[in-house]
Amino acid sequence: MSGECDFSALIGDFVEDAGGHLDAVEGFLLELERRAPAGCDGELVTLIQGHLHTLKGNSGMMGLSPLQQYVHRLEEVMKETGAGTLTLGGALFGALYGGINALRSALFRFAQTPDAGFDFAVEEAALEALRAAPHSVTRASAEATSEGTPESLPSRSAAPAEFGYITQKSSTLKVNFEKLDELLNLMGELVIQRTALATLEKRLREQVSDRELLNAFNETSQLIGKSTDDLRQSIMKVRMLPVKSVFQRFQRLVRDLSLAHGKEVRLKLEGEETELDKTVLDEIGEPLLHLIRNAVDHGLETPAERRARGKEACGTLTLRARHESNHIVIQVCDDGRGMDPEEIRKKAVARGVLEPEAAQAMSEAELLQLVFVPGFSTRSEVTETSGRGIGLDVVKKIVSSLNGIIEIESRVGRGTTFTMMLPLTLAIISALMVEVAGETYAVPLSGVLESVQVQGEECHDTGNGEVIMLRDRVLPLYRLDRFFGRENGGEREQEYVVVVASGDKKGGLVVDRLVGQQEIVIKGLDDYLGELPGISGGTVLGDGRVSLIVDIPSILGR
């Protein structure tokens, strides 16, 4: 298993994080030195070791072996200090402080010139001299601190440049994510007030005749609208993080799974720099976990099977991310055995998931979607990574809860691709506002394909529901007034139909009127309301009224 990683983009973050660890180590060293007369404080030594260990691990992940090795030597010295092998004294602290300075200087040079290399020869010699003659370093040697270190311990004099870090400016700021959430909530209120301002302007135009005043009001309103948009985009950019932070976690998982199943798997990561909102980023880990485990367990063959089919012994698993309009598209692709729709059809009938007639009428795409049915599996045996109630139904549930869709493309013997299409953010979305029985509802624009106006006689009742023919294809209709129990009379001469999609399902939502498109702030509903079919949340309109957000997957699923 191998993964191709470009760490050049991480240099800034690495140096910033490493500086924080060095600051912490230096602080604990100063405290350890103050307490030295009373003996070695094991707790402080442990804290120093922890920061050094993290810095060592991060250096290894960045491929900086010389840096990793020197930090490892510092860690060993602290371990020996805690065990009492090395005694606290001026020479020990002098060597450790010199090491911290050398690390800071090396990291500064690395940030400026990544190819400069590292040289810790003098510092390593000082540490080796300490460890070679531990008994010569006693507490009494603390008196020598003001006069310098013993001649037997090589050291590098502290140049003025080594204290440049004190005046160094930082380009990053760590902020608790809850504070960004608060900022986004305030931004949401601003979006609502901007909408209210637009509504107020419309009323003024109907009642005020002073054109100059109206034009000035309109100009101010537009400037506020532009500033609100710019502010919203700036806040969203702050919350955006690359998917690399999630993708990289699966390197180890794929390695362990491939060994456990006796398979050879190469993990490829593409589009790691693609950014999305942290709230969405936090949610995609679990769906990806199930999809990757499913691909290694079900999808990819053993080396022997692959050779027999004329394939390379090592299978390829690809994690891919890209932006598409206002969505992020994440794909999990394998070049394994693929899924056979006919086999799925037979399993579905045999297990009572479908009636034989219904199974025969289903398309290949619809049959593939059956793998998301709870408890459905094409495997007869239960393994550690499949069965036991944990399967792709979890993936479907999470993706739907994020107002996303998931699709499957598979070819027998060639492989399978799972495609998740998710909104970039869960806080502010674009929605098509529609009116149904006197109430305004918000339909997430991410699921809207188009809106059409049809004649009443074009709607046909089949006994199982209404349908229309749209470009020679049958489209099922869902009357929102009936769905929400707010029927407002019979059929009209003309109907407004909003064509929506979720996964492989399409349908038409029949509404009374199309109000228009606008950005809305999603507000969660209280838990005591329980599950509300067809509703995923609410939003506050510009005039203060509450509008419910239509849950497209829930409606099409019925």
Side-chain angles (χ1 to χ4, degrees):
M1 192 276 299
S2 65
E4 299 174 7
C5 305
D6 176 20
F7 291 113
S8 59
L10 299 177
I11 290 176
D13 291 339
F14 166 73
V15 171
E16 186 85 19
D17 184 66
H21 287 299
L22 291 178
D23 288 345
V25 169
E26 191 172 63
F28 290 134
L29 276 176
L30 288 167
E31 184 63 26
L32 188 65
E33 190 174 22
R34 279 194 290 268
R35 299 183 187 181
C40 183
D41 189 317
E43 185 177 345
L44 285 174
V45 171
T46 301
L47 289 170
I48 292 171
Q49 283 181 282
H51 283 282
L52 289 174
H53 188 76
T54 303
L55 178 55
K56 180 180 72 174
N58 291 347
S59 302
M61 286 193 293
M62 291 290 292
L64 308 176
S65 298
L67 185 64
Q68 182 185 21
Q69 290 168 8
Y70 179 59
V71 176
H72 177 65
R73 287 186 173 85
L74 285 175
E75 192 180 3
E76 287 180 331
V77 168
M78 292 310 304
K79 184 177 180 181
E80 292 172 11
T81 302
T85 307
L86 290 177
T87 311
L88 297 178
L92 174 64
F93 284 112
L96 291 174
Y97 288 134
I100 298 297
N101 286 345
L103 284 170
R104 280 202 178 102
S105 298
L107 287 169
F108 179 77
R109 289 193 301 273
F110 175 64
Q112 303 298 317
T113 313
D115 299 327
F118 298 93
D119 178 18
F120 299 108
V122 174
E123 288 75 20
E124 289 189 6
L127 293 180
E128 288 305 316
L130 279 174
R131 300 173 70 186
H135 299 295
S136 67
V137 187
T138 63
R139 289 195 187 95
S141 67
E143 300 171 2
T145 306
S146 61
E147 302 172 6
T149 56
E151 293 181 7
S152 60
L153 300 178
S155 65
R156 177 185 284 166
S157 59
E162 290 183 334
F163 299 101
Y165 70 92
I166 293 175
T167 58
Q168 203 171 9
K169 296 178 177 63
S170 172
S171 60
T172 61
L173 174 68
K174 290 185 178 180
V175 179
N176 190 307
F177 191 70
E178 290 180 358
K179 292 183 179 179
L180 287 180
D181 265 346
E182 292 175 11
L183 194 60
L184 190 64
N185 283 333
L186 291 173
M187 182 64 237
E189 298 301 324
L190 192 57
V191 170
I192 293 170
Q193 297 308 318
R194 184 192 66 179
T195 309
L197 195 63
T199 304
L200 186 60
E201 181 188 352
K202 186 178 179 181
R203 290 175 58 190
L204 283 174
R205 287 193 175 280
E206 295 171 354
Q207 300 178 18
V208 177
S209 57
D210 189 336
R211 307 309 300 176
E212 186 176 342
L213 175 63
L214 288 173
N215 290 337
F217 188 94
N218 175 258
E219 185 178 347
T220 303
S221 176
Q222 287 183 350
L223 288 173
I224 291 175
K226 183 181 184 305
S227 298
T228 302
D229 284 338
D230 292 344
L231 182 60
R232 182 180 70 84
Q233 289 179 15
S234 296
I235 294 175
M236 295 311 302
K237 285 177 182 176
V238 172
R239 293 165 55 97
M240 301 289 268
L241 293 172
V243 296
K244 175 182 288 187
S245 58
V246 175
F247 279 11
Q248 293 285 353
R249 300 175 196 168
F250 295 107
Q251 299 273 10
R252 172 70 183 276
L253 173 71
V254 171
R255 173 200 173 273
D256 292 349
L257 286 177
S258 59
L259 289 175
H261 292 285
K263 297 177 179 179
E264 296 178 19
V265 184
R266 179 194 304 109
L267 178 62
K268 289 177 61 179
L269 306 178
E270 298 178 4
E272 297 170 90
E273 298 307 319
T274 306
E275 293 185 335
L276 73 162
D277 192 284
K278 185 180 181 299
T279 51
V280 184
L281 196 70
D282 290 340
E283 297 293 335
I284 65 172
E286 189 174 357
L288 286 176
L289 171 66
H290 291 302
L291 290 175
I292 288 173
R293 293 175 70 166
N294 189 272
V296 177
D297 184 18
H298 290 275
L300 293 168
E301 313 96 329
T302 63
E305 289 175 317
R306 292 181 65 86
R307 290 193 195 94
R309 295 177 180 178
K311 295 182 178 181
E312 184 184 352
C314 181
T316 300
L317 182 61
T318 305
L319 266 180
R320 185 181 297 122
R322 69 176 187 274
H323 280 145
E324 197 171 281
S325 185
N326 289 324
H327 296 81
I328 182 171
V329 177
I330 298 178
Q331 292 182 315
V332 179
C333 315
D334 68 72
D335 62 349
R337 59 173 62 91
M339 290 189 286
D340 187 352
E342 289 304 317
E343 181 184 348
I344 294 175
R345 195 196 310 269
K346 292 175 185 176
K347 290 280 186 180
V349 173
R351 297 181 183 183
V353 176
L354 287 175
E355 294 295 328
E357 296 80 10
Q360 288 298 324
M362 293 180 73
S363 66
E364 289 189 359
E366 291 172 330
L367 288 169
L368 291 176
Q369 288 284 324
L370 288 177
V371 299
F372 294 121
V373 174
F376 186 86
S377 174
T378 55
R379 281 267 182 104
S380 55
E381 73 274 13
V382 174
T383 69
E384 182 184 354
T385 54
S386 67
R388 298 181 186 175
I390 300 177
L392 297 180
D393 57 310
V394 178
V395 178
K396 180 77 170 181
K397 185 176 180 181
I398 294 174
V399 171
S400 295
S401 71
L402 297 175
N403 290 319
I405 60 176
I406 184 166
E407 298 176 343
I408 309 174
E409 183 181 343
S410 187
R411 296 176 64 185
V412 178
R414 300 290 295 276
T416 303
T417 297
F418 287 88
T419 301
M420 292 187 290
M421 187 176 288
L422 304 169
L424 288 178
T425 175
L426 301 179
I428 299 177
I429 64 170
S430 296
L432 176 64
M433 311 305 293
V434 299
E435 189 176 293
V436 178
E439 296 287 342
T440 303
Y441 291 86
V443 183
L445 211 58
S446 59
V448 175
L449 300 180
E450 62 178 315
S451 56
V452 296
Q453 191 173 10
V454 299
Q455 298 298 319
E457 64 264 18
E458 294 182 45
C459 304
H460 306 287
D461 193 341
T462 63
N464 291 323
E466 287 183 282
V467 298
I468 60 170
M469 293 297 294
L470 185 64
R471 288 186 285 277
D472 298 327
R473 295 199 65 177
V474 177
L475 185 75
L477 294 182
Y478 303 85
R479 293 186 178 271
L480 289 188
D481 56 352
R482 294 179 188 172
F483 190 93
F484 294 126
R486 300 180 58 83
E487 292 191 46
N488 60 348
E491 298 178 4
R492 293 174 290 270
E493 289 185 8
Q494 290 188 324
E495 302 280 12
Y496 290 101
V497 178
V498 180
V499 183
V500 295
S502 173
D504 62 322
K505 296 180 180 178
K506 291 183 182 179
L509 307 182
V510 181
V511 301
D512 297 347
R513 189 167 67 91
L514 304 178
V515 179
Q517 178 183 334
Q518 73 178 57
E519 290 178 335
I520 61 171
V521 181
I522 299 176
K523 302 287 186 181
L525 302 177
D526 286 336
D527 292 338
Y528 74 83
L529 293 173
E531 290 285 336
L532 294 178
I535 299 298
S536 62
T539 188
V540 181
L541 301 177
D543 56 6
R545 291 182 298 134
V546 173
S547 173
L548 296 176
I549 302 172
V550 175
D551 183 9
I552 296 174
S554 172
I555 292 177
L556 297 187
R558 289 169 176 258

